[in-house]
Amino acid sequence: MKLAIVGATGAVGHELLSVLEKSTLTFSELQLYASPRSAGSTLTFRGQEITVQATPDGPIPADLILASAGGSISKALAPVWVKGGAVVIDNSSAFRYDDTVPLVVPEINGEAALAHHGIIANPNCTTAIAAVAVWPIHRAYGVKRMIVSTYQATSGAGAKGMQELEEQTRSVLAGNPAGHEVFAHPIVFNLIPHIDSFQSNGFTKEEMKVVWETHKIFGDDSLRVSCTAVRIPTMRAHSEAITLELERPADPEAVRELLRRSPGVKVVDDPEAKLYPMPLTSSGEYDVEVGRIRSSLVFDGGLDLFVSGDQLLKGAALNAVQIAEYLQQKGALSGTASPA
Amino acid sequence: MKLAIVGATGAVGHELLSVLEKSTLTFSELQLYASPRSAGSTLTFRGQEITVQATPDGPIPADLILASAGGSISKALAPVWVKGGAVVIDNSSAFRYDDTVPLVVPEINGEAALAHHGIIANPNCTTAIAAVAVWPIHRAYGVKRMIVSTYQATSGAGAKGMQELEEQTRSVLAGNPAGHEVFAHPIVFNLIPHIDSFQSNGFTKEEMKVVWETHKIFGDDSLRVSCTAVRIPTMRAHSEAITLELERPADPEAVRELLRRSPGVKVVDDPEAKLYPMPLTSSGEYDVEVGRIRSSLVFDGGLDLFVSGDQLLKGAALNAVQIAEYLQQKGALSGTASPA
């Protein structure tokens, strides 16, 4: 099985290589693609140097392509790659809302991936982190309403987002203006309640992604979901305060027990010991931390909880590799790509 | 009218002096008190140097005392000051839940201050900032449920909170460990979903203050309120994402119009022009910024909104001075203090 990464030099690409090194996915060859300006550089994978190639306009000679090079590249080229015989797991939002494209979090709807027509979409990072924690609760208690407020890291805007935060911080501490290019305003010692573009209903696209994608991944459009998405001055890991109205009343301790048995999440919920989800502890971790689990004060039998997860991992690279592992375990990935 | 500030050298004390300089409150004398270790230092007020005195154990020879020296000092000494003839406006939580003590935001329930028995409580900063924005909506549309997620600045823990963030930031950027004393964990490039102590119901006291105090200030215990309180690495101004279920359906544009006519708030809600509430713009401002006003996706006819307000001002010093101004306008403050 020949594997290719498109967007290998970006923040998610970097994590893809790291996750693949530890993955059980077997492949005979790894090709790395990026923009022409990164072509010729080398990246190390399991001790071997691999030269980065410029992403071609035509097909890529691989059986599986993990794409993380932005929506416009995926939109234009993924159908070409599929025609060339590849299965594409796409990290952009280009195909997520296409009814013929599965949107997959393996812990939730892995089997949906098997019904692909060449492209499988990887969800928005904020959605994936909330979904993996809320899904076991939804199955056991039936979520009616889900209200999310996010605390999103600068690396959600890629490596350049983290660089901007660091540069602004150095500048401000030296008594100079913050300046800003990546974000709409300075983010150092500030927050920005604006991620992605505004929609006509007053929500941002980032906020609506949580609504649309939760519906699609859970296979349940009746769930009422809302989100306020806020960028804060952290480097990595998105956190979310989540309030749930439930069909059947939930006891917090029973929910902790349920989540301890659930894949993809780690219960970090011992407030007296000062243990709760934080970017400091969830960054670099595969599992999404979930804690502050308590009975809702506004919904009888409902819940409040707080999650923190590495959005470059479960929210992107890790989830993509887990989809690939799932396909391979099910025998749904083969080395049938024709040479380009 | 003789005025005294207890806790004059703290973060709120500093703001009290600044707000009083611009206030219409008339007084014949200003006395400044702080802990013994600050005694003998001087602070400047309207160009005059005033020597800080150690807070005495007994009465203070003033008609009005603005106290911001922490709950234990207020608890012990406010009754003594009242016996000595003073009216006390107390910024601590010591008396807020005492049924005989009014808890006042002048824009909402100023008249409650007139019924005091010597002590008037100033609300928790997070509550005051939300309340001033939500009150006009509550009056017009009837709030049934109010779900709050906070983004709180380090200065909520006083000047030492801001110092810790700055020191940690310098340390981390130099490649050294963050260290921490004021907060339970490092706050630089992190968040901490833990403010004040945990209660038996899993909520923190900071979160429950929003519930208890909103009920008391609005004079309505039927309102269902919940809160998740989170410290983030900002210096000043608390922000809050607020979701409202309403008795009567609200149109976002009508709510903007209503809030434009309401005291204590400033509508900052032009997303296309990248205008929304942020600590960067609300810090140092008297009015609480309110924006991101949009129709709720989870409550038919309900609202989502985002607020940002300077918690040292409307959340503390400004509100205390506004209570004093209100009392003086109503002729309820007189120079009757007996000399100590």
Side-chain angles (χ1 to χ4, degrees):
Chain A
M1 197 272 284
K2 293 184 199 165
L3 177 62
I5 296 176
V6 176
T9 56
V12 174
H14 179 82
E15 298 304 323
L16 277 170
L17 284 173
S18 163
V19 172
L20 280 170
E21 286 205 330
K22 291 167 259 173
S23 164
T24 58
L25 193 75
T26 59
F27 46 94
S28 56
E29 190 189 320
L30 177 59
Q31 306 159 32
L32 303 180
Y33 296 93
S35 66
R37 105 190 103 84
S38 295
S41 64
T42 59
L43 292 169
T44 305
F45 181 75
R46 290 180 180 159
Q48 292 215 310
E49 294 211 328
I50 302 176
T51 302
V52 176
Q53 306 172 62
T55 308
D57 283 338
I60 283 178
D63 304 293
L64 177 66
I65 297 172
L66 305 177
S68 191
S72 56
I73 285 176
S74 288
K75 195 99 192 164
L77 293 177
V80 178
W81 301 333
V82 170
K83 253 189 202 153
V87 171
V88 179
I89 300 174
D90 182 38
N91 196 50
S92 83
S93 65
F95 299 99
R96 288 185 196 146
Y97 315 118
D98 183 327
D99 286 343
T100 67
V101 173
L103 178 66
V104 177
V105 174
E107 291 91 341
I108 300 173
N109 65 338
E111 72 290 343
L114 300 175
H116 72 81
H117 301 283
I119 302 174
I120 298 163
N122 209 31
N124 165 266
C125 49
T126 307
T127 310
I129 288 164
V132 76
V134 172
W135 173 248
I137 300 171
H138 182 53
R139 283 191 58 174
Y141 302 99
V143 174
K144 288 169 72 178
R145 287 183 168 90
M146 172 170 159
I147 297 146
V148 180
S149 300
T150 76
Y151 304 72
Q152 296 185 226
T154 51
S155 55
K160 65 188 190 305
M162 283 191 283
Q163 283 156 15
E164 178 149 307
L165 173 56
E166 183 173 336
E167 283 162 17
Q168 286 181 355
T169 307
R170 288 187 193 280
S171 185
V172 164
L173 288 184
N176 298 318
H180 62 97
E181 282 180 24
V182 177
F183 301 112
H185 301 273
I187 185 65
V188 56
F189 303 140
N190 192 28
L191 61 74
I192 307 174
H194 171 189
I195 301 178
D196 209 332
S197 54
F198 281 95
Q199 311 292 290
S200 59
N201 66 354
F203 286 78
T204 60
K205 196 171 173 195
E206 180 79 1
E207 292 163 350
M208 293 311 299
K209 284 175 185 172
V210 174
V211 181
W212 298 327
E213 298 184 21
T214 303
H215 283 167
K216 184 163 176 176
I217 297 165
F218 283 14
D220 185 350
D221 286 357
S222 71
L223 219 85
R224 300 198 68 172
V225 181
S226 84
C227 179
T228 300
V230 181
R231 185 80 67 196
I232 65 166
T234 52
M235 290 292 177
R236 195 167 163 155
H238 291 351
S239 305
E240 307 177 37
I242 302 175
T243 297
L244 299 174
E245 184 183 26
L246 303 172
E247 299 275 1
R248 296 171 288 283
D251 170 69
E253 188 47 38
V255 171
R256 271 178 219 112
E257 204 40 60
L258 170 68
L259 291 172
R260 281 189 198 107
R261 298 190 310 265
S262 301
V265 295
K266 180 184 178 188
V267 176
V268 180
D269 196 12
D270 186 357
E272 291 309 321
K274 297 178 184 170
L275 292 173
Y276 25 70
M278 294 191 298
L280 189 66
T281 46
S282 68
S283 293
E285 298 295 319
Y286 278 15
D287 285 342
V288 170
E289 294 186 345
V290 51
R292 296 294 325 270
I293 300 168
R294 57 210 196 276
S295 290
S296 168
L297 299 174
V298 295
F299 295 123
D300 294 326
L303 290 174
D304 278 316
L305 47 98
F306 196 78
V307 301
S308 189
D310 192 317
Q311 92 287 355
L312 296 173
L313 292 173
K314 189 58 197 171
L318 174 65
N319 197 71
V321 173
Q322 287 172 329
I323 293 171
E325 289 170 346
Y326 181 89
L327 291 175
Q328 193 168 63
Q329 281 160 21
K330 298 289 175 184
L333 273 186
S334 53
T336 58
S338 53
Chain B
M1 197 269 285
K2 294 183 197 165
L3 177 63
I5 296 176
V6 177
T9 55
V12 175
H14 179 83
E15 297 304 323
L16 277 170
L17 284 172
S18 163
V19 172
L20 281 169
E21 286 205 331
K22 291 167 258 173
S23 164
T24 58
L25 193 75
T26 58
F27 47 93
S28 56
E29 190 189 321
L30 177 60
Q31 306 159 32
L32 303 180
Y33 296 93
S35 65
R37 108 190 102 84
S38 295
S41 63
T42 59
L43 292 170
T44 305
F45 180 75
R46 289 179 182 161
Q48 292 216 310
E49 294 211 329
I50 302 177
T51 302
V52 176
Q53 307 173 61
T55 307
D57 283 337
I60 284 177
D63 304 293
L64 176 66
I65 298 172
L66 304 177
S68 192
S72 55
I73 286 176
S74 288
K75 195 97 192 165
L77 292 176
V80 178
W81 302 332
V82 171
K83 253 189 202 151
V87 171
V88 179
I89 299 174
D90 182 38
N91 196 48
S92 83
S93 65
F95 298 99
R96 288 185 196 146
Y97 315 117
D98 183 328
D99 285 342
T100 67
V101 173
L103 178 67
V104 176
V105 174
E107 291 90 341
I108 301 173
N109 65 339
E111 73 290 344
L114 301 174
H116 72 79
H117 302 283
I119 302 174
I120 298 164
N122 209 33
N124 165 266
C125 47
T126 308
T127 310
I129 288 163
V132 77
V134 172
W135 173 248
I137 300 170
H138 182 53
R139 283 190 59 175
Y141 302 99
V143 174
K144 288 169 72 177
R145 286 183 167 89
M146 172 170 159
I147 298 147
V148 181
S149 299
T150 76
Y151 304 73
Q152 296 185 227
T154 52
S155 54
K160 65 187 190 305
M162 282 190 283
Q163 283 156 16
E164 179 149 308
L165 173 56
E166 183 173 336
E167 284 162 16
Q168 285 181 356
T169 307
R170 289 187 191 281
S171 185
V172 163
L173 287 184
N176 298 319
H180 63 97
E181 283 181 23
V182 177
F183 301 112
H185 302 272
I187 185 65
V188 56
F189 303 139
N190 191 29
L191 61 74
I192 307 174
H194 171 190
I195 302 177
D196 209 332
S197 55
F198 281 96
Q199 312 291 292
S200 59
N201 65 354
F203 285 78
T204 60
K205 197 171 172 192
E206 179 79 3
E207 291 163 351
M208 292 311 299
K209 285 174 185 172
V210 174
V211 181
W212 298 327
E213 298 184 22
T214 302
H215 284 168
K216 184 164 176 175
I217 297 164
F218 283 14
D220 185 350
D221 286 357
S222 72
L223 217 84
R224 299 197 69 173
V225 182
S226 84
C227 180
T228 300
V230 180
R231 186 80 68 197
I232 65 166
T234 53
M235 290 293 177
R236 194 166 165 157
H238 291 351
S239 305
E240 307 177 38
I242 302 175
T243 297
L244 299 174
E245 185 184 25
L246 303 173
E247 299 274 1
R248 296 172 290 282
D251 170 70
E253 189 47 39
V255 171
R256 272 177 218 112
E257 204 38 61
L258 169 69
L259 291 173
R260 281 189 198 107
R261 298 191 310 265
S262 301
V265 295
K266 180 184 177 188
V267 175
V268 180
D269 197 12
D270 187 356
E272 290 309 320
K274 297 178 183 170
L275 292 173
Y276 25 70
M278 293 191 298
L280 189 67
T281 46
S282 68
S283 293
E285 297 295 320
Y286 279 13
D287 286 342
V288 171
E289 294 186 345
V290 53
R292 296 295 324 271
I293 300 167
R294 57 211 196 276
S295 290
S296 168
L297 299 175
V298 296
F299 295 122
D300 293 327
L303 289 174
D304 278 315
L305 47 99
F306 197 78
V307 301
S308 190
D310 193 318
Q311 91 287 354
L312 296 173
L313 292 172
K314 188 59 198 171
L318 175 65
N319 197 70
V321 172
Q322 286 172 329
I323 293 171
E325 290 170 346
Y326 182 89
L327 292 174
Q328 194 169 63
Q329 282 159 22
K330 297 290 174 183
L333 274 185
S334 52
T336 58
S338 53

